[in-house]
Amino acid sequence: MISQRAMGIGGPARPWVQRHRGANRLEQFPLAVWSKLVSRHARNVSRDLMGYGDPMGYGPFREVIAEYLRAFRAVKCELAQIMVTTSPQQALQIAALALLDAKDSAWIEEPAYPGTHQALQAAGARAVPVPVDAEGLNIEYGIQQEGCARVAIVTPSHQFPMGVSMSSMRRLELLSWAREHGGWIIEDDCNSEYDLRGTPVSSLQGLDVDGRVIYVGTLTKAVFPALRLGFIVIPKDLIRSFLDIRNATDTFATSVLYQMAMTDFIREGHFSRHMSRMREVQIETRNALAAAIIAQTAGLLEVVDDEADMQLVTLLPPGLDDVDVAAKLPKLSAAVYALSECYVSRPPRGGLVIGYANLNLEDIPAMLAALKTAIHTSIPKH
Ligand SMILES: Cc1ncc(COP(=O)(O)O)c(C=O)c1O
């Protein structure tokens, strides 16, 4: 359920990204290299690149994205299909507006990335929550509930926030639903870039032979959030309608200067070196955090899955209101928010999602102390 705070009434508009003060990810970033690349391009920027430019994005950057996706995510794509956006969130928004008319329905995972529901609401569409189990989205449930939905939005590589990968069987069922019902699948692959498991799962888009999958991703989760860069891989028949939405919202995406610098950052190998380093840091953080929670918060927090990248899902004692607990938290080194932010309906049990991308190890004790205080003060006294 998206809380009032999440909807911007009396609090931060996106608590799942805003409520933290940690800096781990930022401290690791090779700032000197980045500054050099940005100034190199700032000095040499040609007049051609100072105009509106191609609304699909800066050509060489799109080329780099296409190469990366073919090599690492088994995505079937050509440069012409890549649209650069300011963020994955904007990509979801453009896709929702291009594919859905007001009042159309769309399956969303229950639980899901909260911004998914926001993108549907902004398009005037209706979210049909479809539960996620150990194999990913329950397609049979979705068909029984609303087989004629126009769109399904899924995170198959790494379900957000639970971390499960969609099984091969479910992937095939979902693709055949889309083929038979004329539905579209939006594959939100944002969390795959940062796969901590060692054996990344290939994209769903790569299995699609009917052009029914719209792929949304980013290469900047490990970089820094202010670098607004996401992208969409659009089936060829839909490029025109996606461009119409892009032009209606804004003609161009992120500054061409940042796209140029990022192109070099990837081509010169800085990106892959940084990613390997960040992967190690994140595994260390995740292991330390999960171990500390298990050792120090018995009976208060239960770790659901320590494989969900960059966020750890924990459950609260039954009956506790997680929005209430989250509201009592001070600003922490990690982004901690109520699990109910990820649900359209009521979650079976409240919990806290701990986004640890910026969490420094030395901040874990203070954070756990704050979590325990917030939970204790939320337990009703008899
Ligand atoms: C699964 C998923 N989709 C979309 C987004 C949106 O990313 P951004 O906030 O960079 O737009 C996120 C961010 O955490 C995410 O985890």
Side-chain angles (χ1 to χ4, degrees):
M1 162 200 344
I2 298 197
S3 67
Q4 285 203 328
R5 265 186 314 104
M7 295 305 292
I9 306 164
R14 304 174 78 207
W16 50 93
V17 290
Q18 289 178 355
R19 285 176 60 87
H20 70 79
R21 57 173 176 73
N24 191 11
R25 170 169 50 170
L26 306 181
E27 282 158 11
Q28 307 291 337
F29 186 65
L31 202 53
V33 171
W34 178 253
S35 306
K36 218 166 75 195
L37 295 177
V38 172
S39 23
R40 180 199 290 171
H41 288 291
R43 275 196 306 274
N44 298 328
V45 73
S46 76
R47 283 181 200 280
D48 291 355
L49 294 173
M50 294 172 79
Y52 281 113
D54 185 341
M56 293 294 277
Y58 175 60
F61 182 56
R62 293 163 66 209
E63 180 84 63
V64 163
I65 292 171
E67 282 164 17
Y68 172 87
L69 292 178
R70 286 193 292 260
F72 293 100
R73 307 295 308 129
V75 169
K76 289 185 280 201
C77 62
E78 294 167 15
L79 184 146
Q81 294 172 267
I82 312 281
M83 175 187 277
V84 180
T85 62
T86 53
S87 60
Q89 184 63 37
Q90 191 196 36
L92 290 173
Q93 190 61 73
I94 292 175
L97 288 167
L99 298 172
L100 291 155
D101 291 324
K103 308 240 164 34
D104 277 347
S105 58
W107 295 354
I108 69 168
E109 295 168 323
E110 181 85 318
Y113 176 66
T116 308
H117 193 198
Q118 285 188 319
L120 288 178
Q121 283 178 316
R126 191 164 48 83
V128 178
V130 177
V132 168
D133 59 27
E135 285 194 69
L137 192 80
N138 186 335
I139 319 294
E140 208 180 305
Y141 179 99
I143 293 172
Q144 275 167 11
Q145 207 63 22
E146 197 141 334
C148 61
R150 277 188 72 72
V151 167
I153 309 180
V154 286
T155 50
S157 310
H158 245 141
Q159 204 281 327
F160 188 102
M162 296 305 194
V164 295
S165 302
M166 189 184 280
S167 67
S168 311
M169 188 61 89
R170 292 277 173 89
R171 285 168 191 247
L172 296 176
E173 279 176 35
L174 185 58
L175 289 168
S176 80
W177 163 78
R179 188 173 48 246
E180 284 160 25
H181 294 264
W184 299 103
I185 300 166
I186 301 176
E187 175 176 20
D188 176 349
D189 203 33
C190 289
N191 284 343
S192 70
E193 175 206 2
Y194 221 178
D195 203 308
L196 303 185
R197 292 167 300 192
T199 43
V201 186
S202 296
S203 68
L204 173 69
Q205 194 267 11
L207 293 176
D208 173 28
V209 287
D210 303 296
R212 309 302 303 178
V213 178
I214 295 92
Y215 179 96
V216 167
T218 177
L219 290 181
T220 57
K221 275 238 181 287
V223 178
F224 57 94
L227 178 68
R228 306 306 291 147
L229 278 178
F231 52 82
I232 320 177
V233 181
I234 311 169
K236 288 181 186 149
D237 294 347
L238 293 178
I239 294 174
R240 186 65 256 166
S241 50
F242 275 61
L243 256 180
D244 287 345
I245 301 294
R246 147 56 52 81
N247 287 329
T249 51
D250 193 4
T251 331
F252 205 60
T254 298
S255 108
V256 75
L257 186 62
Y258 273 0
Q259 293 185 63
M260 292 165 103
M262 193 62 190
T263 305
D264 288 355
F265 191 72
I266 295 169
R267 285 226 162 108
E268 293 175 15
H270 307 295
F271 180 72
S272 59
R273 273 194 295 281
H274 177 59
M275 287 300 289
S276 311
R277 168 89 193 104
M278 286 305 289
R279 214 167 270 129
E280 279 169 27
V281 171
Q282 294 297 309
I283 289 171
E284 190 188 14
T285 313
R286 183 188 70 195
N287 291 346
L289 178 62
I293 292 175
I294 291 165
Q296 293 169 39
T297 66
L300 296 180
L301 280 179
E302 192 184 307
V303 174
V304 170
D305 178 12
D306 64 353
E307 290 278 298
D309 292 354
M310 297 212 289
Q311 64 274 335
L312 197 69
V313 178
T314 56
L315 294 180
L316 289 164
L320 275 200
D321 177 351
D322 53 8
V323 175
D324 181 42
V325 175
K328 289 182 175 140
L329 292 172
K331 211 165 192 192
L332 299 165
S333 179
V336 184
Y337 56 93
L339 181 60
S340 356
E341 309 280 8
C342 302
Y343 280 80
V344 173
S345 47
R346 275 203 93 71
R349 196 166 144 192
L352 296 175
V353 183
I354 306 176
Y356 57 79
N358 277 304
L359 178 65
N360 298 93
L361 293 186
E362 60 272 22
D363 291 337
I364 293 178
M367 184 179 86
L368 290 194
L371 293 182
K372 286 203 281 197
T373 306
I375 299 168
H376 277 304
T377 54
S378 303
I379 296 174
K381 311 270 176 298
H382 295 293

